Amino acid sequence: MSAPSFRIPAMDVLRGCAVMGILWMNITAFAFPQAAYFNPRVTGPLSAGDTLFWLVSFLLFDGKMRALFSMLFGASMLLLVDREELAGRNGRRAQMIRAAWLFLIGLAHYLLLWWGDILTIYALVGIAALPFIGKEPLSLVKWAFLFFLAHFLVCTLFVLGLYGWAGSAVEPGAASAARDGFAAFAASFTDPNHSAIQSEILTYRSGFGTILRHHLHLFANEWPNSLLFTGLDTLGFMLLGMAMLKGGFLTGRWDAGQYRRTAVHCFLIGLPPMAGLAAWLITGGFPVLPAFGAALAWSFPFRIPLSVGWAALILWLIVRHQDSALVQRIAAAGRLALSNYLGTSLAMCALFYGWGLGLFAQLRPAQLPLVVLCVWAVILLWSKPWLSRFAMGPAEWLWRSLAHGKPQKIRKSS
């Protein structure tokens, strides 16, 4: 979302792919209770199509698109700071102002639309990333993997704590509170008829006021946990994105063969163990703790190479087909990434929530890809015509105007 003179076309395409790809994973959280993000059994008996949708999501999208988005955010931050400092201004101060406004935009998104907002996380983590922007690529990579390790340890310790809870609940003479507490926890991630699941369905089929009050409660009670369980890996991917920009990877200037080989190696490293985890869960009928652990912790080490593999694959296609009409439309979607991200939330909430069409928990998972494809089509159809008349998207204009303290020019000069 940098100024046009600082744009890197390859990054626009990557950002367009990321903003569309992230919807594939988020659609489950738009359409079903939160627990469905961790265990598809919450949606009811699974058909072959439902399981296939989960499998594609788990293997290719879960965590990978957010990681790609995070890498691009880190790289864009670096470009912004460089641009400001070349103009004789304080680049770090400019980024902190932008982050403050992004946090408020994300907060409005969280409360008024969707609890799965990532903008508030990016705003805070982006500030934490500022001290690293002057480091060399190799140092950035080392720091990134240090934060990845810290994230993995936090998630692993939490999951192991759940296993300890489960073990104590089945021990002879276990207190009824322990048995009943773990049974209720397990049911809330596996039983569609559990009271917590039904309560959430009722909430999101209600009106705007009820949902707003629910989101206020979630922000006060659950958002800090979201920061804990996503902040460290987000910081790692931001630093990795900075390193990839400094090394020329994200600019699209590598040889096509280098991108292809990188993509192949990364997918060969990440996909087989992810497939093994998926087979374990499917054959076991998605048991609560393995499913929770795989979503939160066990799959994370393999998301790293898969995220880089996605970036390399997209960049390989860009180098080979950079003049194609589709690539140009995806690039336009990437230039309007914030508008498309927020617009997608508005469209999905209008489709699923009670103040809209009220389809929450009424579709099957196997039907959700059709919704995603329709939204992708809209994103690709509107972005390029908009940019033919305007210099930036409506959300980008709002963010930039707030950061500069005055309205920015949005219409292109004739």
Side-chain angles (χ1 to χ4, degrees):
M1 300 172 193
S2 306
S5 59
F6 268 68
R7 299 213 75 89
I8 296 176
M11 285 179 58
D12 287 333
V13 180
L14 284 167
R15 195 177 288 108
C17 291
V19 78
M20 291 193 297
I22 206 169
L23 174 62
W24 183 285
M25 199 61 218
N26 287 348
I27 189 73
T28 298
F30 279 118
F32 291 103
Q34 290 188 41
Y37 199 92
F38 298 95
N39 198 318
R41 284 174 59 187
V42 169
T43 65
L46 299 174
S47 67
D50 296 336
T51 302
L52 179 61
F53 170 73
W54 174 87
L55 178 63
V56 172
S57 302
F58 182 74
L59 293 180
L60 299 179
F61 292 94
D62 181 24
K64 293 82 174 174
M65 295 298 106
R66 185 170 63 84
L68 181 56
F69 220 55
S70 301
M71 289 188 280
L72 292 164
F73 191 93
S76 297
M77 232 177 64
L78 188 60
L79 291 174
L80 168 76
V81 172
D82 286 347
R83 183 187 70 190
E84 292 295 307
E85 293 186 347
L86 283 173
R89 296 185 289 266
N90 188 323
R92 286 169 172 78
R93 180 177 180 274
Q95 175 57 30
M96 292 181 70
I97 293 172
R98 283 167 58 92
W101 284 113
L102 184 64
F103 182 88
L104 293 177
I105 293 171
L107 179 61
H109 176 228
Y110 187 110
L111 298 178
L112 301 177
L113 290 175
W114 187 49
W115 60 266
D117 169 76
I118 60 172
L119 302 179
T120 50
I121 305 293
Y122 279 11
L124 295 181
V125 175
I127 292 175
L130 280 175
F132 297 91
I133 60 175
K135 295 188 179 296
E136 295 299 315
L138 182 58
S139 177
L140 286 167
V141 171
K142 290 179 179 178
W143 276 104
F145 276 86
L146 181 63
F147 287 118
F148 290 152
L149 176 61
H151 168 79
F152 182 70
L153 291 176
V154 168
C155 293
T156 298
L157 288 174
F158 179 76
V159 173
L160 292 179
L162 294 179
Y163 273 94
W165 184 18
S168 65
V170 297
E171 287 181 355
S176 59
R179 291 196 307 270
D180 296 344
F182 182 78
F185 168 81
S188 69
F189 283 92
T190 55
D191 182 6
N193 296 314
H194 187 268
S195 59
I197 301 300
Q198 290 302 308
S199 176
E200 190 171 347
I201 291 173
L202 182 62
T203 295
Y204 283 107
R205 288 180 182 174
S206 301
F208 181 82
T210 300
I211 295 173
L212 174 59
R213 287 190 294 273
H214 179 63
H215 286 176
L216 286 166
H217 172 79
L218 288 180
F219 188 79
N221 294 277
E222 294 191 13
W223 182 85
N225 292 330
S226 298
L227 179 61
L228 174 65
F229 288 111
T230 61
L232 290 170
D233 71 313
T234 299
L235 180 55
F237 281 116
M238 284 186 185
L239 300 186
L240 191 59
M242 291 181 187
M244 293 163 77
L245 176 65
K246 291 185 176 186
F249 180 88
L250 291 179
T251 63
R253 295 175 185 170
W254 281 20
D255 177 74
Q258 289 179 287
Y259 285 124
R260 180 182 59 81
R261 288 190 294 273
T262 300
V264 169
H265 291 158
C266 287
F267 280 107
L268 285 176
I269 292 170
L271 271 182
M274 286 289 288
L277 283 174
W280 176 39
L281 298 180
I282 292 173
T283 56
F286 296 98
V288 60
L289 290 183
F292 196 86
L296 192 63
W298 315 141
S299 64
F300 176 73
F302 315 117
R303 292 180 195 169
I304 302 170
L306 287 174
S307 301
V308 176
W310 263 116
L313 175 62
I314 295 167
L315 287 164
W316 173 64
L317 293 172
I318 292 171
V319 171
R320 290 172 57 89
H321 306 286
Q322 58 185 337
D323 295 324
S324 74
L326 178 59
V327 168
Q328 297 304 312
R329 286 191 174 272
I330 296 174
R335 289 185 61 181
L336 304 181
L338 182 59
S339 295
N340 280 318
Y341 174 70
L342 296 175
T344 296
S345 291
L346 178 60
M348 293 299 93
C349 292
L351 178 65
F352 292 109
Y353 288 2
W355 53 261
L357 297 181
L359 295 180
F360 191 80
Q362 294 199 38
L363 299 181
R364 294 302 307 153
Q367 296 172 301
L368 297 182
L370 179 60
V371 178
V372 173
L373 292 175
C374 289
V375 176
W376 285 357
V378 172
I379 288 173
L380 294 175
L381 287 172
W382 91 280
S383 298
K384 197 167 186 295
W386 177 276
L387 285 175
S388 68
R389 298 185 61 189
F390 300 97
M392 64 191 82
E396 286 78 7
W397 173 84
L398 174 63
W399 186 20
R400 194 170 299 178
S401 296
L402 291 170
H404 284 84
K406 60 182 180 180
Q408 300 294 291
K409 182 180 178 181
I410 187 171
R411 283 188 175 274
K412 285 187 173 180
S413 301
S414 60

